[in-house]
Amino acid sequence: MKTWSLLALLIAQTLSAQEMKLGTLIVLVEGFRSQEGQLKVSLEKSEADFDSGPLHVSHYRGETLPITGDKVLVRFVDVPYGTYAIKTFHDANGNGKLDTNLVGAPSEDYGFSNNARGSFGPAKFKEASFQLNAPEMNLSIRVK
């Protein structure tokens, strides 16, 4: 009996995985003041992960790309349909983190999906979130 239950569970999980819809996010990031350093992009799938930790921490998926012009194209492939938010910053000095000035304000450019901006701090997941519900989705983020 245990063998049949285990087999049924494995078949159900396999069918669920096959039915899962996946999409590709194509994110255009622009607004760079220089081509120095690199672009760090984090795709987050939960409010807790997006709203916690500094911009350089990626809980779900992250990319680090060179800046070779005034725009950078980032692709996240095989992303399950759902709710997500993106946070990104221009790591101009290449140290892997968002630098701040003496009062804690960012000294490197940053941005969020929906071009959301926080009042006194980073944007919240609620403001930056979007639904991936198509095989391909294009987003644009301007860093400031």
Side-chain angles (χ1 to χ4, degrees), residues 32-40 67 89-99 107-109:
F32 303 106
R33 291 185 274 175
S34 76
Q35 294 181 10
E36 296 175 8
Q38 57 199 8
L39 176 68
K40 297 192 74 68
I67 298 172
F89 77 97
H90 177 186
D91 184 13
N93 62 5
N95 68 353
K97 63 181 184 174
L98 178 68
D99 293 324
S107 58
E108 295 177 305
D109 291 338

Side-chain angles (χ1 to χ4, degrees), residues 11-126:
I11 290 171
Q13 287 176 341
T14 301
L15 290 175
S16 294
Q18 290 174 348
E19 294 172 0
M20 183 184 302
K21 293 186 177 186
L22 302 174
T24 298
L25 283 171
I26 301 168
V27 184
L28 175 68
V29 183
E30 55 191 340
F32 303 106
R33 291 185 274 175
S34 76
Q35 294 181 10
E36 296 175 8
Q38 57 199 8
L39 176 68
K40 297 192 74 68
V41 183
S42 295
L43 174 65
E44 301 295 354
K45 63 180 182 175
S46 77
E47 183 174 2
D49 287 343
F50 184 85
D51 291 343
S52 69
L55 258 57
H56 69 275
V57 173
S58 195
H59 295 94
Y60 180 58
R61 290 195 191 174
E63 294 287 339
T64 301
L65 300 164
I67 298 172
T68 57
D70 59 347
K71 300 174 185 176
V72 174
L73 201 61
V74 184
R75 296 175 67 88
F76 291 99
V77 297
D78 293 333
V79 179
Y81 282 18
T83 303
Y84 297 91
I86 295 173
K87 52 187 177 180
T88 185
F89 77 97
H90 177 186
D91 184 13
N93 62 5
N95 68 353
K97 63 181 184 174
L98 178 68
D99 293 324
T100 57
N101 62 22
L102 293 174
V103 295
S107 58
E108 295 177 305
D109 291 338
Y110 62 95
F112 302 94
S113 42
N114 300 331
N115 286 311
R117 300 304 276 187
S119 295
F120 291 97
K124 299 293 183 192
F125 184 81
K126 182 186 257 185

